[in-house]
């Protein structure tokens, strides 16, 4: 939060104490009047003796002492007024979409079709661009290889989701392509969704060759029948180079 934003939201629990700040200029004016009209001093038999004394730092600091006193009194008055950083709440009613993004992190995603970047790096960039383009939708992330797990549940905190997407790496799951398991995990995350529209986005470069659930079975789950599927794949006819 910026300082400007913080000051615009500043409020006081007891603002009437701030009226005491009006006394500070009066105290300063009285001090100036006293210094000008009431002179004090010491009587020396010879003026040469007074000239030898000089001025210490305390004497030179004396004119500024009143300013520090008034500043301290002002801060004390503000403290009595109990400053608080206010907050506001805004209820936004939207008909957002619940979207589960399901990403293949099997070994084949290391293919460098976009040298020097591999498929996973490009997929992550595409997903991040997609997330940044959303406004009121809840998004979640599932990754899979031979097994599947939820990287991020449905959320509207896009900053958290973007960080989770950035942290996705190859080799964190046993190798394989369990598309059905990944879809079943995504479907399970949408099971309790109250959104009118539910979408599963699948990013994969292969065919199902692992897991106990095949993609068709996952698509026939109760929650899956009410979801829409979008599949992003790489063309298998392209010659791939592996690192």
């Amino acid at each position: 939060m910026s300082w400007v934003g913080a000051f615009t939201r500043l409020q006081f629990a007891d603002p009437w104490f701030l009226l005491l700040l009006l006394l500070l200029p009066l105290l300063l004016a009285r001090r100036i009047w006293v210094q000008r009209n009431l002179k004090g001093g010491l009587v020396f038999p010879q003026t040469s003796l007074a000239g030898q004394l000089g001025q210490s730092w305390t004497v030179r600091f004396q004119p500024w002492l009143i300013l520090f006193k008034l500043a301290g009194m002002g801060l004390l008055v503000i403290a009595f007024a109990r400053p608080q950083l206010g907050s506001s709440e805004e209820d936004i009613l939207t008909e957002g979409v619940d979207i589960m993004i399901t990403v293949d992190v099997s070994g084949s995603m290391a293919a460098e079709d976009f040298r020097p970047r591999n498929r996973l790096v490009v997929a992550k960039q595409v997903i991040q661009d997609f997330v940044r383009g959303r406004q009121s939708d809840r998004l979640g992330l599932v990754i899979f290889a031979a097994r599947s797990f939820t990287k991020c549940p449905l959320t509207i905190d896009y900053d958290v989701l973007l960080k989770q997407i950035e942290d996705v790496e190859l080799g964190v799951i046993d190798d394989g392509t369990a598309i059905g398991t990944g879809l079943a995990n995504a479907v399970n995350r949408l099971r309790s969704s109250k959104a009118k529209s539910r979408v599963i986005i699948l990013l994969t470069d292969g065919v199902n060759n692992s897991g106990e659930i095949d993609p068709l079975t996952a698509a026939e789950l109760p929650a899956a029948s009410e979801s829409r599927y979008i599949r992003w794949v790489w063309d298998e006819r392209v010659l791939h180079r592996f690192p």
Side-chain angles (χ1 to χ4, degrees), residues 61-196:
F61 182 74
Q62 185 68 26
W64 300 96
L65 185 60
I66 183 62
L67 296 180
F68 285 97
K69 290 182 178 180
L70 293 176
M73 295 172 63
L75 293 176
L76 186 61
V77 169
I78 294 175
F80 280 134
R82 297 169 58 194
Q84 300 173 350
L85 189 61
S87 60
S88 60
E89 295 183 358
E90 181 179 2
D91 294 330
I92 302 177
L93 300 178
T94 61
E95 294 183 358
V97 181
D98 282 354
I99 304 173
M100 286 302 303
I101 304 171
T102 311
V103 183
D104 185 350
V105 293
S106 61
S108 59
M109 292 292 285
E112 294 182 346
D113 300 332
F114 308 89
R115 300 180 184 178
R117 300 176 298 171
N118 60 36
R119 293 176 177 178
L120 182 60
V121 171
V122 175
K124 287 161 59 173
Q125 293 176 346
V126 171
I127 298 171
Q128 287 173 329
D129 291 340
F130 173 78
V131 171
R132 295 187 182 100
R134 316 312 296 179
Q135 291 186 354
S136 58
D137 300 327
R138 292 200 306 167
L139 299 152
L141 178 65
V142 167
I143 63 175
F144 69 91
R147 295 178 292 107
S148 171
F149 71 86
T150 302
K151 185 72 172 174
C152 181
L154 288 170
T155 181
I156 57 174
D157 192 338
Y158 297 157
D159 290 336
V160 171
L161 178 59
L162 289 171
K163 180 62 169 61
Q164 294 297 320
I165 295 171
E166 186 62 33
D167 291 341
V168 172
E169 296 180 353
L170 297 171
V172 297
I173 308 176
D174 296 337
D175 199 16
T177 308
I179 297 177
T181 304
L183 288 177
N185 192 355
V187 169
N188 186 56
R189 285 294 174 176
L190 292 174
R191 189 181 305 276
S192 60
S193 170
K194 303 299 183 181
K196 292 184 178 180

Side-chain angles (χ1 to χ4, degrees), residues 34 63 225:
V34 168
S225 62

